[in-house]
Amino acid sequence: MLSPSPPMVTPPPPDRAPRAGLTGAGATAALLAVLSAVLTVLVVAEWGPLFSFDRWVAAELHRRAVAEPGVTWVNRVLTDWFWDPWTMRLLTAVAVIALWLRHERLLALWTAGTAALGAAVSQGAKAAVGRERPRWPDPVDSAHFAAFPSGHAMTAAVTCGLLLWLIRRHGAGGWPWRTAVVVAAVSVAGAGLTRLWLGVHWSADVIGGWLFGGCLVAFSVAVYGRVTLSRKP
């Protein structure tokens, strides 16, 4: 008597979530890269409407900064201590050390490399574009190097973007995740807006910093995902 054939087992469908996430990060990187390039071209070409808007925003904020010294002092403290690029880099360094101690060596090196690349891109773009900063007869603050893109805005975007990515990778959810998102959003926005209030950047510089930083993080996340997927057996 013939025994019945064993039932065919259908293999489980492949996990498409990681690939979908990579596609999303790659698409975000591409979009931000295009926007960054367009803005850079407009700044280099000294496009009239953009420069007129920059001058109008700068003049209005500088007038208020001079008239409200208390608010200006708060902005200076925030930009020099809380959202300063070196403060942001220190936060990244803490995250890198924590990852290293957890034996996540590749992720630690990747995070450090992305932050370093961000600093290099910022300085390289400043040197290449060479845009002058606003000049005032009665300045409330001072800054060095060229204006575009804003180093404060870009460093905050890179740091906060990387930290949110790492927090999410390690399973954060619920109110801790929402709190992290709010703190990151306030930090990225504040890092740029304080520079505008203090009259050391044009609005396009800050927007450029946000775009460059977001593009770099999205690109880094997408490439890291590809690398780790290719390493899986």
Side-chain angles (χ1 to χ4, degrees):
M1 187 175 192
L2 297 176
S3 59
S5 301
M8 295 183 63
V9 178
T10 303
D15 184 6
R16 300 185 182 275
R19 294 187 182 277
L22 295 183
T23 302
T28 300
L31 174 61
L32 294 178
V34 171
L35 294 176
S36 300
V38 170
L39 182 59
T40 302
V41 168
L42 295 178
V43 170
V44 171
E46 300 184 4
W47 190 51
L50 176 63
F51 274 45
S52 295
F53 178 76
D54 277 352
R55 287 192 291 269
W56 175 75
V57 171
E60 287 297 314
L61 290 179
H62 181 68
R63 178 180 59 80
R64 294 190 59 183
V66 172
E68 303 177 35
V71 177
T72 300
W73 178 83
V74 171
N75 277 267
R76 192 178 296 115
V77 170
L78 291 172
T79 196
D80 288 342
W81 293 98
F82 290 89
W83 298 321
D84 181 76
W86 285 107
T87 302
M88 295 289 114
R89 290 168 190 145
L90 178 61
L91 291 176
T92 303
V94 171
V96 168
I97 293 172
L99 291 170
W100 192 270
L101 294 177
R102 289 169 57 95
H103 302 287
E104 298 181 74
R105 304 295 167 79
L106 176 60
L107 187 56
L109 293 174
W110 198 275
T111 302
T114 302
L117 181 59
V121 169
S122 174
Q123 293 303 314
K126 285 177 180 290
V129 176
R131 188 183 193 188
E132 291 189 0
R133 293 178 183 268
R135 295 183 179 180
W136 310 104
D138 50 350
V140 297
D141 203 354
S142 61
H144 306 289
F145 306 111
F148 182 89
S150 165
H152 279 67
M154 182 172 176
T155 305
V158 171
T159 299
C160 292
L162 286 174
L163 293 180
L164 285 179
W165 174 52
L166 295 175
I167 291 171
R168 195 62 166 176
R169 277 184 61 87
H170 287 82
W175 70 264
W177 169 248
R178 291 192 293 270
T179 301
V181 170
V182 170
V183 171
V186 170
S187 297
V188 172
L193 296 178
T194 52
R195 305 306 282 168
L196 293 179
W197 181 274
L198 295 172
V200 294
H201 273 296
W202 308 102
S203 55
D205 306 338
V206 170
I207 296 172
W210 289 335
L211 290 176
F212 274 89
C215 177
L216 180 61
V217 171
F219 177 77
S220 178
V221 170
V223 176
Y224 182 84
R226 295 287 182 187
V227 170
T228 53
L229 278 180
S230 66
R231 288 162 59 96
K232 290 182 178 180

